[in-house]
Amino acid sequence: MKLHLKVWRQKNKNDKGRMVSYEANNISEHMSFLEMLDVVNDDLIKKGDEPIAFDHDCREGICGACSMVINGVPHGPEKGTTTCQLHMRKFKDGDTIFIEPWRAKAFPVVKDLLVDRSAFDRIIQAGGYVSINTGGAPDGNALPIPKVDADLAMDAATCIGCGACVAACKNASAMLFVSAKVSHLALLPQGVVEKKERVRKMVNAMDKEGFGNCTNQYECEAACPKEISVNFITRLNREFISS
């Protein structure tokens, strides 16, 4: 395939930035989106031009590093899929593809498509620790946890902290991310001891970082590559009010 790319180029967070046009040639439908960008960067390097900066790590849909907006949609057109797992068969020969970074005050652009998502790390750090005695790993069935709670906790824990929820929200809200992190601990006995203190600290940290509030339009759930439910936001609000 031959594709026409419109890529956001920005030297640093203080630079104004602009869209730049590139041609992606000889792209296989079996390539991932990041492999396509690798091909484009190889061509740029051979020409002596600056390659496009973008973040990536596992390329297996696990780490959430591959954060970019593709044709106006965080992670691209395929539901429940990270950018690194998006394949070029979702596009057609001759397509024009717009590629931009996450756009949120709390996610300043480092360079091009690479943004600083350390605000999420600070929110998690604000939650503190779980005060349980450590030692040998307990038997899997030693703690009587209802299956419904265990399943919900696992659903919340699948959050990879990519920030797609923030990028999709018109308010740049981090409520889905924070609710997932609060819920997966609050649902389990190990996390109950500090749950009231944890939710207060994490919500305060979220507000301090400059994320917006939730207005219940569910764009976050639609963009989440792990399809985390907005029902966890309800749980977050309930935990916060009761704290």
Side-chain angles (χ1 to χ4, degrees), residues 213-224:
N213 208 344
C214 175
T215 47
N216 298 312
Q217 293 189 335
Y218 303 165
E219 295 290 342
C220 54
E221 181 182 285
C224 178

Side-chain angles (χ1 to χ4, degrees), residues 113-164:
L113 306 175
L114 176 62
V115 302
D116 180 359
R117 294 177 297 133
S118 59
F120 272 7
D121 297 330
R122 290 188 289 273
I123 291 173
I124 293 175
Q125 290 166 4
Y129 299 92
V130 174
S131 61
I132 59 172
N133 295 326
T134 59
D139 181 81
N141 296 318
L143 291 174
I145 303 172
K147 188 176 187 305
V148 172
D149 290 345
D151 288 345
L152 280 173
M154 183 61 71
D155 289 344
T158 58
C159 172
I160 56 178
C162 67

Side-chain angles (χ1 to χ4, degrees), residues 162-211:
C162 67
C165 51
V166 176
C169 178
K170 68 178 184 180
N171 304 321
S173 172
M175 290 285 279
L176 189 65
F177 164 77
V178 177
S179 68
K181 297 305 178 184
V182 165
S183 296
H184 92 260
L185 291 173
L187 283 160
L188 299 177
Q190 298 94 327
V192 169
V193 179
E194 289 92 4
K195 74 173 186 176
K196 291 185 177 181
E197 181 182 2
R198 183 185 304 114
V199 70
R200 286 197 302 269
K201 287 182 175 180
M202 293 183 75
V203 170
N204 289 337
M206 175 183 68
D207 292 341
K208 183 179 178 181
E209 293 293 341
F211 293 104

Side-chain angles (χ1 to χ4, degrees), residues 5 7 9 22-25 27 33-56 59 68 112-113:
L5 306 183
V7 183
R9 301 303 305 266
Y22 297 101
E23 300 296 323
N25 299 307
I27 301 300
F33 199 86
L34 297 189
E35 287 171 331
M36 180 274 292
L37 288 180
D38 289 337
V39 170
V40 173
N41 275 345
D42 283 343
D43 290 340
L44 291 175
I45 292 169
K46 289 174 184 176
K47 295 175 183 176
D49 295 333
E50 183 77 15
I52 301 164
F54 62 92
D55 204 358
H56 65 92
R59 298 200 178 202
M68 59 185 74
D112 297 339
L113 306 175

